[in-house]
């Protein structure tokens, strides 16, 4: 895999802030940046081990440092404005600035509308949309002073196929909200030179969220490693901010364009499951 070929200190002195970074895609992106010498600030709620979820924000920080980066673990809730500001203040105090904001924290609930509780609805909107807004807003004053500022949001391309609008409207609303904010910031901050993009996996990714579903074992067999998202994120973040903004990238396409022709090393078997919001997926689920 490409991650095994990426070495050096390309991100030396750069500071990356990631929400929801105790495990999964967020941690993988942090490790990818750390291998290039980045300072990585991890904002997550998991201070103590969870019976169904691996790792904490502290074990994640230890992995970041073992990979060659410097880490700052901040226990906090991305929905809480004070927690977010505390994380950004701590990042600036420790590392002197912020160069990259990664909006990774997300909640999912796919129950039909009549079965979805208002509490779960609010949770998705608060983590996915409000959390993305709060973290990016707090980073923006510091991104303005970066030589190569990036905002990267783990959110899908806007697909108005009625299948995706109807299968889980509330979750779709929350994820498209993340995308719309990011595309809006690309336009709003174009003159400031801040690149704002989205990144979404082509296939299911082997995360705890997938593992904890009723069909988790079968789904994991057809899911790619979080490393593919990390490698794609690194490819985007190493670009000059002026070269790419306002785009919704797909991980496999990013890597293919970068010259990675064999994705089998990321797992998922011969027919990985296509992810939500991508047009191929509805045929596989009907």
């Amino acid at each position: 895999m490409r991650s095994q070929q990426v070495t050096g200190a390309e991100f030396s002195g750069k500071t990356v802030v990631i929400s929801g970074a105790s495990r999964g895609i967020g941690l993988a992106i942090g490790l990818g940046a750390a291998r290039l010498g980045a300072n990585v600030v991890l904002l997550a709620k998991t201070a103590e081990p969870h019976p169904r979820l691996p790792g904490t924000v502290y074990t994640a920080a230890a992995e970041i440092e073992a990979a060659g980066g410097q880490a700052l673990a901040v226990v906090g809730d991305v929905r809480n404005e004070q927690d977010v500001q505390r994380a950004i203040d701590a990042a600036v105090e420790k590392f002197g600035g912020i160069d990259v904001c990664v909006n990774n924290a997300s909640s999912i609930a796919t129950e039909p509308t009549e079965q979805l509780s208002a509490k779960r609805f609010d949770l998705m909107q608060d983590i996915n949309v409000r959390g993305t807004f709060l973290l990016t807003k707090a980073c923006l004053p510091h991104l303005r002073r970066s030589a190569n500022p990036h905002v990267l949001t783990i959110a899908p391309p806007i697909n108005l196929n009625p299948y995706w609008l109807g299968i889980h409207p509330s979750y779709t609303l929350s994820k498209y909200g993340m995308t719309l904010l990011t595309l809006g910031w690309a336009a709003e901050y174009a003159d400031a030179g801040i690149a704002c993009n989205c990144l979404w996996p082509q296939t299911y990714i082997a995360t705890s969220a997938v593992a904890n579903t009723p069909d988790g074992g079968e789904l994991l067999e057809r899911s790619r490693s979080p490393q593919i998202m990390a490698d794609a994120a690194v490819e985007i973040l190493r670009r000059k901010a002026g070269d790419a903004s306002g785009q919704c990238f797909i991980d496999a396409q990013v890597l293919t364009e970068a010259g990675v022709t064999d994705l089998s090393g990321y797992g998922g078997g011969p027919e990985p499951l296509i992810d939500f919001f991508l047009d191929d997926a509805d045929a596989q689920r009907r």
Side-chain angles (χ1 to χ4, degrees):
M1 288 187 293
R2 187 173 180 82
S3 61
Q4 296 173 342
Q5 302 170 4
V6 172
T7 58
E10 190 174 340
F11 284 13
S12 180
K14 303 297 183 182
T15 299
V16 180
V17 177
I18 308 174
S19 63
S22 292
R23 60 189 68 86
I25 292 171
L27 175 56
I29 292 174
L31 289 169
R35 293 186 187 104
L36 297 178
N39 310 315
V40 182
V41 181
L42 309 161
L43 172 61
K45 290 175 61 179
T46 314
E48 301 294 335
H50 188 284
R52 297 181 63 190
L53 299 173
T56 69
V57 69
Y58 299 114
T59 60
E63 289 187 54
I64 294 294
E65 295 189 340
Q70 294 190 69
L72 175 62
V74 180
V75 178
D77 190 334
V78 75
R79 298 171 292 175
N80 184 293
E81 187 172 12
Q82 288 72 36
D83 283 2
V84 171
Q85 191 60 57
R86 175 169 51 83
I88 299 310
D89 290 345
V92 173
E93 181 178 358
K94 184 175 179 66
F95 299 123
I98 294 170
D99 301 281
V100 175
C101 169
V102 179
N103 295 299
N104 170 71
S106 190
S107 174
I108 180 172
T110 59
E111 294 90 337
T113 299
E114 291 173 277
Q115 298 174 22
L116 182 69
S117 69
K119 183 177 181 180
R120 293 296 296 275
F121 176 91
D122 288 344
L123 181 67
M124 285 192 290
Q125 311 313 318
D126 284 351
I127 293 177
N128 301 0
V129 182
R130 176 183 169 89
T132 295
F133 167 76
L134 289 177
L135 186 65
T136 305
K137 179 183 177 182
C139 287
L140 280 167
H142 308 286
L143 292 173
R144 285 181 178 275
R145 295 192 283 272
S146 171
N148 192 37
H150 282 264
V151 173
L152 186 64
T153 301
I154 308 305
I158 301 294
N159 184 349
L160 297 183
N161 181 335
Y163 177 81
W164 292 117
L165 295 178
I167 190 80
H168 36 56
S170 298
Y171 176 61
T172 298
L173 172 67
S174 70
K175 295 305 293 188
Y176 286 7
M178 295 172 72
T179 303
L180 287 171
L181 279 174
T182 305
L183 297 179
W185 289 324
E188 185 177 10
Y189 293 97
D191 290 345
I194 301 173
C196 300
N197 295 291
C198 296
L199 175 63
W200 193 245
Q202 181 187 60
T203 69
Y204 273 49
I205 299 296
T207 63
S208 297
V210 171
N212 288 329
T213 62
D215 299 324
E218 179 182 350
L219 294 178
L220 287 175
E221 291 180 2
R222 298 182 63 189
S223 299
R224 287 175 176 157
S225 162
Q227 191 62 54
I228 191 170
M229 285 289 283
D231 290 350
V234 166
E235 289 292 343
I236 295 167
L237 298 175
R238 72 192 340 161
R239 299 177 183 180
K240 292 182 179 179
D243 291 346
S245 188
Q247 297 190 43
C248 292
F249 292 104
I250 302 300
D251 58 357
Q253 294 173 0
V254 171
L255 294 177
T256 298
E257 291 171 3
V260 181
T261 57
D262 181 6
L263 302 178
S264 63
Y266 294 109
E271 295 184 0
L273 278 172
I274 302 300
D275 205 3
F276 289 5
F277 306 116
L278 301 183
D279 280 331
D280 293 3
D282 55 353
Q284 296 193 27
R285 290 184 172 80
R286 289 188 188 279

